[in-house]
């Protein structure tokens, strides 16, 4: 029998979870979820995503400012520490003690993958599982070949230097979509005069898709690749576009707003699960939206959340980079796999 709850606007579920390492207990409730639905049998509710046994684990801390997590199917996570000019590698393990940088020499789970990294920010994988990286310092999108060689895929548009590529996603046809705000450069270094969203085709052609977002940041496709989501960070919302057959985009509109003056953070990193739910870092942690833009809940993080990525063999573990720490939490729905 269908149970109606139309008279209840919000169902607030507060899960008082403990971190796996008691000495590193985080402040407050780790996860706060708000379900807003008219029917308990409706798909895409918080109950479908996270149960009350889930725990937010802090895996590593004391970084300078981390970003760009990406899961490699060989069983490890890569993530960037931008100011440190390093890409780190985290080897997954079921039992984790919180890693601190001063313990680096004795820790085998976290190691340097690349230094210098070009002050890498976002990372993703292409269809051959090669690492694609947005590099602030080198102002380029790069690819790491199977032999370790790093090549430039894009660093100029119409003869002018890109600003500082920030985040990226690879479409199933092999094209790379990326954002290019100015976070990694000074105003005097800017050559373009705008902050764009681009499509890099497999043949190397670079197409400007959007140039009027305030500061484009995180980027992701819907599972069917019919929609492109882009975080407009300083404006505080997620923009969504329809993707045309030629790979360009149209019909820009606001998908959801993420505003809360009482919490730190802006719409930054952005990912989508296989059911089409949209996950974005924002004020206070990770905001979860249904495919139609309804706020389903928030995963609270005790520091500014910067980005996120799905991982483990079933892609049901959500890795979250805070400004200085790495976290993870198990969910019930798998994420869209990078480089699928």
């Amino acid at each position: 029998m269908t149970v109606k709850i139309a008279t209840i606007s919000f169902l607030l579920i507060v899960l008082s979870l403990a971190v796996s390492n008691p000495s590193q207990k985080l402040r407050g409730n780790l996860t706060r979820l708000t379900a807003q639905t008219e029917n308990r049998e409706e798909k895409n509710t918080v109950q479908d995503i996270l149960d009350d046994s889930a725990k937010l684990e802090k895996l590593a801390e004391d970084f300078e400012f981390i970003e760009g997590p990406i899961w490699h199917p060989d069983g490890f996570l890569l993530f960037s520490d931008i100011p440190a000019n390093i890409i780190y590698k985290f080897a997954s393990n079921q039992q984790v003690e919180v890693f601190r940088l001063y313990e680096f020499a004795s820790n085998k789970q976290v190691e340097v993958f690349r230094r210098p990294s070009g002050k890498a920010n976002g990372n993703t994988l292409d269809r051959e599982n090669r690492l694609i990286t947005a590099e602030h310092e080198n102002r380029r999108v790069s690819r790491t070949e199977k032999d370790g060689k790093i090549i430039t895929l894009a660093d100029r548009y119409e003869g002018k230097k890109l600003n500082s590529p920030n985040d990226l996603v690879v479409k199933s046809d092999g094209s790379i979509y990326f954002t290019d705000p100015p976070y990694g450069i000074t105003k005097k270094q800017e050559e373009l005069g705008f902050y764009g969203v681009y499509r890099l085709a497999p043949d190397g052609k670079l197409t400007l898709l959007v140039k009027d977002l305030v500061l484009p940041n995180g980027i992701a496709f819907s599972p069917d690749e019919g929609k492109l989501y882009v975080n407009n960070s300083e404006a505080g919302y997620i923009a969504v576009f329809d993707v045309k057959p030629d790979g360009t985009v149209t019909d820009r509109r606001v998908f959801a707003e993420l505003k809360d003056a009482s919490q730190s953070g802006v719409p930054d990193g952005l990912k989508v699960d296989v059911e089409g739910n949209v996950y974005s870092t924002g004020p206070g942690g990770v905001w979860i939206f249904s495919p139609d833009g309804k706020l389903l809940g928030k995963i609270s993080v005790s520091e500014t959340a910067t980005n996120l990525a799905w991982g483990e063999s079933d892609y049901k573990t959500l890795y979250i980079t805070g400004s200085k720490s790495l976290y993870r939490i198990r969910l019930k729905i798998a994420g869209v796999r990078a480089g699928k």
Side-chain angles (χ1 to χ4, degrees):
M1 176 179 176
T2 301
V3 182
K4 299 289 184 179
I5 55 170
T7 58
I8 302 176
S9 299
F10 293 95
L11 172 63
L12 181 64
I13 305 172
V14 179
L15 306 177
S16 299
L17 306 176
V19 196
S20 57
N21 185 338
S23 66
Q24 296 299 316
K25 185 175 182 180
L26 305 181
R27 296 178 183 177
N29 297 309
L30 296 185
T31 306
R32 187 187 68 217
L33 296 175
T34 305
Q36 185 180 3
T37 179
E38 294 182 355
N39 189 327
R40 289 187 185 274
E41 294 181 356
E42 180 181 339
K43 206 171 185 179
N44 296 324
T45 67
V46 293
Q47 294 91 343
D48 297 316
I49 295 170
L50 181 67
D51 61 36
D52 56 10
S53 65
K55 294 181 180 180
L56 183 69
E57 298 176 274
K58 179 184 282 190
L59 306 173
E61 62 181 10
D62 296 334
F63 298 102
E64 292 186 43
F65 188 89
I66 59 173
E67 255 277 8
I70 185 66
W71 179 261
H72 194 284
D74 285 349
F76 57 85
L77 184 83
L78 298 174
F79 60 95
S80 305
D81 191 330
I82 302 173
N85 210 10
I86 296 172
I87 296 177
Y88 284 104
K89 176 181 177 181
F90 172 79
S92 179
N93 193 307
Q94 293 302 313
Q95 299 297 324
V96 175
E97 293 186 2
V98 177
F99 162 72
R100 303 169 183 84
L101 282 186
Y102 63 76
E103 300 172 333
F104 185 82
S106 62
N107 190 283
K108 302 301 181 184
Q109 281 195 288
V110 180
E111 60 183 88
V112 171
F113 176 80
R114 177 179 299 156
R115 179 170 45 191
S117 67
K119 293 195 173 176
N121 188 334
N123 298 286
T124 192
L125 301 176
D126 68 9
R127 299 191 69 187
E128 298 179 39
N129 290 326
R130 294 174 297 187
L131 181 65
I132 310 295
T133 301
E135 301 181 20
H136 276 189
E137 187 171 63
N138 296 324
R139 301 171 71 171
R140 68 174 182 174
V141 173
S142 68
R143 183 175 70 213
T144 303
E145 302 293 343
K146 296 293 186 179
D147 62 3
K149 182 180 179 181
I150 304 170
I151 66 170
T152 298
L153 296 179
D155 61 357
R156 292 177 180 270
Y157 175 70
E158 295 186 342
K160 296 180 180 180
K161 288 184 179 179
L162 296 174
N163 298 308
S164 54
N166 186 282
D167 211 350
L168 353 76
V169 64
V170 175
K171 198 167 180 279
S172 60
D173 65 0
S175 55
I176 301 167
Y177 289 65
F178 67 93
T179 56
D180 186 41
Y183 291 124
I185 59 174
T186 66
K187 190 68 177 179
K188 290 182 178 180
Q189 291 177 294
E190 294 182 24
E191 296 184 13
L192 289 168
F194 60 84
Y195 312 133
V197 180
Y198 296 88
R199 175 183 184 263
L200 180 63
D203 64 4
K205 181 182 178 181
L206 185 63
T207 301
L208 176 65
L209 302 176
V210 183
K211 61 181 298 185
D212 58 351
L213 292 177
V214 181
L215 287 173
N217 202 321
I219 186 167
F221 284 106
S222 59
D224 65 0
E225 299 183 336
K227 293 182 174 62
L228 180 72
Y229 302 97
V230 180
N231 268 335
N232 197 1
S233 292
E234 299 308 311
Y237 69 84
I238 302 170
V240 61
F241 304 82
D242 293 330
V243 181
K244 297 163 67 175
D246 65 357
T248 59
V249 298
T250 187
D251 192 20
R252 168 184 159 185
R253 54 211 183 269
V254 173
F255 173 74
E257 291 190 341
L258 296 83
K259 296 179 180 180
D260 183 349
S262 69
Q263 302 282 344
S264 67
V266 296
D268 192 343
L270 181 66
K271 295 294 185 293
V272 177
D273 70 24
V274 296
E275 297 291 342
N277 300 306
V278 177
Y279 300 65
S280 175
T281 61
V286 176
W287 296 45
I288 307 173
F289 298 92
S290 68
D292 61 0
K294 180 189 298 180
L295 179 62
L296 298 178
K298 300 175 185 178
I299 300 174
S300 298
V301 181
S302 64
E303 60 184 294
T304 300
T306 62
N307 214 326
L308 58 162
W310 304 100
E312 306 300 336
S313 60
D314 59 3
Y315 286 82
K316 290 184 179 179
T317 294
L318 186 66
Y319 284 89
I320 303 168
T321 49
S323 53
K324 297 185 181 299
S325 307
L326 176 67
Y327 302 86
R328 73 180 174 191
I329 188 168
R330 285 290 291 176
L331 303 182
K332 292 170 19 178
I333 300 177
V336 173
R337 175 177 174 175
K340 64 174 185 174

